[in-house]
Amino acid sequence: MKTLGHWLASPWRRSTVAAVVGALPVLAFPAPSLWWFAYVALVPWMLLVRTAPTGKRAACDGWCGGFGFMLAMHHWLLPNLHVFTFVVAALLGVLWAPWGWLVRRLLGGAPSRGRVAAALAVVPSGWLAIELVRSWQGLGGPWGVLGASQWQVEAALRLASVGGTWLISFLVVALNVAVAVLVAVRRARVPAVAGLVATAAVTSAAWVYAPRPDTDDRVRIALVQPGVVTGPDSADRRFDREERLTRELAGQDVGLIVWGESSVGFDLGDRPDLARRLAALSRETGAGILVNVDARRSDRPGIYKSSVLIGPDGPTGDRYDKMRLVPFGEYVPARSLLGWATSVGEAAGEDRRRGSGQVVMDAGNGLRIGPMVCFESAFPDMSRHLAEDGADVLLAQSSTSTFQRSWAPGQHASLGALRAAETGRPMVHATLTGVSAVYGPGGEPVGPRLGTDTAAAQVYEVPPAHGTTPYVRFGDWPLHAALLVLGVWAVTGAVRVRRGARGPLAPPARTAHGSPARPGR
């Protein structure tokens, strides 16, 4: 009977297995939300890579695994981008090729305890380097960062306040390395166990010593989720439904009302009638209303997505134009080369315009809010900068109605818990069609989640917070530390190779008369 090694000798079989095991970590994210599985999800992938016969094959295993991970994480794009989803996953999967080589280099064969100890720091650092590169907005942003799978775990959220989601990712990968060593390299169990102990120690220290945010009296913030509205005149009918739901909030002592992304489909300069209706709602409810306008601007060229604050007299002048756009959904990168994507899927026919800077708005009664739009909530630096600029509450206006029956709404809503924990600020995630959710300054859920089958106006008691978390103060230091680890390891390896190439320095052999031996004698 053929062994597993013989069966995997076929490049196509091995590549298929690599893609399958690379996809396993997605089970730790919503909707499955098997958060605990993240601690071992990389083990099958690493065990496969370490048995690769060559470094080139290990890099290929890394690429195929990365392809599987990206495809599984973004599978809900298939109905919209079709075959282009596979192209994107394949291109992003290339980022894991060096990581595959790295895993084999440190864990392949019969690694020494020294190599295993190095792997516990270098392999997670390599993973963070990948997350750093793919977090660039042009490559799709930091959607599916491994640490984000821990959004429900209180201890992990405490770690996020110290080093952001990056620190969680590093420790999760380190746990996987330790488990892989315990499974496959028995003689190196001591450093693996030491790695597990160190991870537990770091988590415990964060739990005990990380400062907790200071909270004030609670403010009542309402989310208006109109639900799915389709067909002709959907923008007008959605506005009517949002108006009707908002009126239900009259007399409930609400301090702020938040509508979802694209909740207003017309520029308010072109539709003063809508501006008057919004101002009337603000007077009736006694609260400012944060709407999101998705329309061609009347005062400048192009289509913008903008958070606009409405008061009793109409728009207050506070406006935030979305800065980071969704690739293909809101613009096509390098449209001259990739414009064909519009013919095979539902890519943007016209690029949206970008805003120039983040904005902190005064919502009244001393409440300062920091708005973000859609997948901007995936970027830790944006919420961190808003906290630095004095925002008491973070807000994300979103719409995932295109992916209503997929894992996307739950994945998106979960990011709010991480942004809250990182910054020590409550996070409000308001959508058109669900999932809408609110999180306290520690990332804990506040009030009920509004699912994708709900149309409602829901009031939440939100505790505005002050103070500075270590992550806000020191920024993305785990990423910098990871790059430093990789640099030191690379330099050390180069020095060893150079010394090996020189060979041992030995004195020249001498003849019986004591003179140095010469070639040919």
Side-chain angles (χ1 to χ4, degrees):
M1 185 175 65
K2 291 184 178 180
T3 65
L4 179 62
H6 284 101
W7 189 81
L8 291 174
S10 166
W12 286 106
R13 288 175 182 169
R14 189 178 184 95
S15 296
T16 301
V17 172
V20 171
V21 297
L24 292 178
V26 78
L27 297 176
F29 293 82
S33 289
L34 305 176
W35 57 266
W36 50 268
F37 185 62
Y39 307 152
V40 295
L42 300 179
V43 172
W45 190 3
M46 289 191 288
L47 293 180
L48 175 70
V49 170
R50 71 178 293 273
T51 64
T54 64
K56 183 178 179 180
R57 180 63 242 186
C60 185
D61 291 343
W63 182 358
C64 293
F67 165 77
F69 180 43
M70 288 291 94
L71 184 62
M73 183 58 66
H74 300 92
H75 71 275
W76 36 268
L77 289 172
L78 281 167
N80 301 89
L81 293 184
H82 307 303
V83 68
F84 203 74
T85 309
F86 292 90
V87 176
V88 171
L91 291 174
L92 292 176
V94 174
L95 297 174
W96 276 269
W99 187 77
W101 178 89
L102 193 66
V103 170
R104 181 184 181 275
R105 178 71 180 81
L106 290 168
L107 297 179
S112 64
R113 291 184 176 183
R115 268 207 289 160
V116 168
L120 288 167
V122 176
V123 172
S125 296
W127 186 279
L128 251 64
I130 297 167
E131 292 193 338
L132 171 62
V133 173
R134 75 180 184 88
S135 292
W136 178 47
Q137 185 256 326
L139 292 180
W143 191 281
V145 170
L146 189 60
S149 65
Q150 304 302 294
W151 67 280
Q152 301 177 81
V153 183
E154 189 175 356
L157 294 173
R158 295 286 290 158
L159 286 170
S161 73
V162 176
T165 311
W166 315 116
L167 180 58
I168 306 175
S169 288
F170 183 95
L171 293 177
V172 168
V173 178
L175 281 174
N176 277 268
V177 172
V179 173
V181 170
L182 290 175
V183 170
V185 190
R186 295 185 178 182
R187 69 193 195 103
R189 285 179 172 176
V190 172
V193 172
L196 294 175
V197 172
T199 301
V202 169
T203 304
S204 299
W207 182 269
V208 174
Y209 297 110
R212 286 172 166 80
D214 299 323
T215 57
D216 292 336
D217 293 335
R218 296 175 180 263
V219 59
R220 291 170 64 81
I221 297 179
L223 275 60
V224 174
Q225 179 174 299
V228 178
V229 180
T230 59
D233 302 323
S234 59
D236 283 306
R237 291 188 293 108
R238 179 182 298 111
F239 189 94
D240 292 342
R241 183 179 294 183
E242 290 163 332
E243 184 180 39
R244 186 166 58 254
L245 290 169
T246 302
R247 282 205 175 94
E248 297 176 4
L249 300 170
Q252 296 194 40
D253 192 27
V254 176
L256 178 68
I257 300 169
V258 185
W259 290 12
E261 179 188 12
S262 303
S263 48
V264 178
F266 309 94
D267 184 79
L268 294 177
D270 278 340
R271 292 289 303 270
D273 58 315
L274 297 184
R276 288 193 295 269
R277 289 166 66 182
L278 287 168
L281 284 175
S282 178
R283 292 192 297 271
E284 188 174 346
T285 58
I289 304 174
L290 188 72
V291 301
N292 188 268
V293 177
D294 183 4
R296 193 174 300 278
R297 293 274 290 265
S298 58
D299 58 342
R300 62 180 64 177
I303 303 173
Y304 288 80
K305 283 193 175 181
S306 306
S307 300
V308 178
L309 186 62
I310 308 294
D313 300 320
T316 63
D318 284 328
R319 182 186 189 112
Y320 166 66
D321 297 323
K322 185 178 182 182
M323 297 170 59
R324 295 182 182 172
L325 305 176
V326 179
F328 299 101
E330 294 170 337
Y331 80 105
V332 176
R335 185 177 285 271
S336 59
L337 297 175
L338 301 177
W340 58 270
T342 60
S343 63
V344 298
E346 298 180 14
E350 178 183 349
D351 292 350
R352 298 294 197 273
R353 301 296 181 92
R354 302 176 190 274
S356 58
Q358 292 186 263
V359 176
V360 174
M361 302 177 181
D362 185 354
N365 297 319
L367 178 65
R368 292 171 60 80
I369 59 174
M372 293 171 283
V373 183
C374 190
F375 96 138
E376 289 183 330
S377 66
F379 293 86
D381 64 305
M382 296 196 73
S383 53
R384 179 164 61 87
H385 292 323
L386 287 171
E388 288 177 323
D389 291 341
D392 302 315
V393 176
L394 303 176
L395 295 154
Q397 296 172 295
S398 177
S399 172
T400 49
S401 53
T402 304
F403 314 106
Q404 190 73 352
R405 293 180 177 84
S406 72
W407 294 358
Q411 287 180 11
H412 199 177
S414 69
L415 297 175
L418 295 155
R419 302 295 86 87
E422 289 169 342
T423 60
R425 299 290 184 273
M427 178 79 181
V428 174
H429 182 81
T431 73
L432 288 184
T433 60
V435 173
S436 297
V438 176
Y439 302 95
E444 71 281 5
V446 173
R449 291 161 65 89
L450 302 182
T452 54
D453 58 348
T454 301
Q458 180 68 44
V459 179
Y460 296 83
E461 298 278 350
V462 180
H466 306 284
T468 302
T469 64
Y471 177 68
V472 170
R473 180 173 299 169
F474 300 112
D476 298 326
W477 64 265
L479 292 174
H480 303 150
L483 295 177
L484 178 62
V485 167
L486 291 173
V488 170
W489 180 77
V491 169
T492 303
V495 170
R496 288 179 179 174
V497 169
R498 187 174 181 181
R499 287 178 178 175
R502 288 178 178 177
L505 297 178
R510 294 181 176 271
T511 65
H513 299 287
S515 59
R518 295 175 182 170
R521 290 188 63 180

